[in-house]
Amino acid sequence: MEIFVTASALKQHLATLQQQHKKIGFVPTMGALHDGHISLIQAAKAATDVVVCSIFVNPTQFNDPKDLEKYPRPIEHDKALLTAANCDILFLPEVNVMYPENDPHWEIDLGNLDQIWEGEHRPGHFQGVTQIVYKLFQLVNPDIAFFGQKDFQQVMVIQRMIAEKALSVKLHIVPTLRDAHGLALSSRNARLSPTGIEKAYAISKALRHIQHYSREKDVNTLIAEATALLHDVDGLELEYLAICETTTLEISTNIDPNKDYVVLVAAWLEGVRLIDNMLL
Ligand code: PAF
């Protein structure tokens, strides 16, 4: 695996590959890699000729400085995982590479997506995500970019940015990887104690409850029952749990068999904010 730390060296190397008509796959990450990220690398390997992974803990998407500070950065372990997964290129920039002095102010119209769910609870988060993903797309110029379904709203936001900026990159969404108990793999799980991990199983259990009974029970009952499952867990604080239309993420009060829905959840455990979702 070749490692680049400057934008110019990466661009130059990729330009040569692009001249050879190689299809470039891109997996942007913030590191602390787990099998979920590796499934993105594998999907990229299967669909493209050259796989570029970036590891950059992007400061502009953290609305809480403590969260940024505590974000895990096990870089040697990450490199070993990427090498084992046959990733071709790792881009590992410092903050000043991605945010040079006099970097222009970034603002993009994300419509309602900026105001609801993650947008509401993490002000500025999606502006920061789109800012860095746009910069990375400009550098890597990928044919296909790979994102996890785990960050469902993020995927919608990136889709919107691609449309707004008229970019040619295609998105490939990879299903969420879960452990044997259904817990969605996430870099944040590393900050939970073993007891916290066990408690976190309730999150996917609540989602599965809604998925299982979605044709039998009404929305209010489904939400009340799933909320009760989460309230039973000592120390778990639910931020939101909602059934939404997949196209708008607007909350739904009834389930129309002709539409597609996703259940979105965010909860705090041991000072760690966890999100998950499940398609109905
Ligand atoms: O999903 C993430 O890890 C980050 O939001 C991303 C897309 C790498 C941008 O920093």
Side-chain angles (χ1 to χ4, degrees), residues 69 116 186 272:
E69 199 186 303
I116 54 175
S186 162
V272 182

Side-chain angles (χ1 to χ4, degrees), residues 56-90:
F56 180 66
V57 182
N58 173 35
T60 67
Q61 72 187 74
F62 286 82
N63 53 316
D64 175 358
K66 277 199 219 109
D67 198 22
L68 171 61
E69 199 186 303
K70 285 189 201 151
Y71 205 84
R73 292 163 170 87
I75 192 62
E76 292 311 319
H77 184 247
D78 287 350
K79 282 183 193 167
L81 286 183
L82 290 174
T83 306
N86 291 322
C87 178
D88 300 294
I89 295 173
L90 169 61

